Amino acid sequence: MDVADQQMIFQFRDSPEADTIARANRKTLIGALTSLLGGDEAAFWAIYDPDVIFYEAPCLPYGGEHKGLAATKAAFAQMCATYSDMHTVFEAVLTDQ
């Protein structure tokens, strides 16, 4: 299949507000991560919608569909407990609208 033969339309490029929204999203995420680094876990979780749904593969110890912020936090805690030596490296923060 030749990509040139495919009809692909990238409407997001035509949206003048896309860059503004992406910048705002990036600022929000970086602020939340900075707060988390400073020990303010509540500020990190505050950026999530209370009705968030967190999906992980069912074969994982923390797998399944976790509905709501409390369930998402519990799944995240289980993930951290499962990988007790877990550490995270953020190489970049990329956002879109």
Side-chain angles (χ1 to χ4, degrees):
M1 177 185 305
D2 186 359
V3 175
D5 293 336
Q6 299 300 308
Q7 188 173 43
M8 298 179 2
I9 301 169
F10 297 105
Q11 290 181 339
F12 68 90
R13 292 181 177 168
D14 299 329
S15 177
E17 69 275 0
D19 288 339
T20 302
I21 293 169
R23 279 193 299 276
N25 288 346
R26 187 172 190 276
K27 182 178 178 181
T28 298
L29 182 55
I30 288 173
L33 291 171
T34 300
S35 295
L36 184 62
L37 183 62
D40 187 357
E41 187 177 327
F44 172 75
W45 290 110
I47 68 171
Y48 287 86
D49 187 291
D51 297 323
V52 64
I53 301 176
F54 178 61
Y55 297 98
E56 283 290 346
C59 61
L60 298 171
Y62 48 87
E65 179 181 273
H66 308 281
K67 294 182 178 182
L69 192 53
T72 297
K73 287 179 178 183
F76 181 75
Q78 178 62 44
M79 182 172 58
C80 292
T82 299
Y83 304 106
S84 61
D85 292 331
M86 184 172 85
H87 70 275
T88 304
V89 177
F90 290 91
E91 295 180 1
V93 176
L94 308 174
T95 57
D96 199 355
Q97 55 179 337

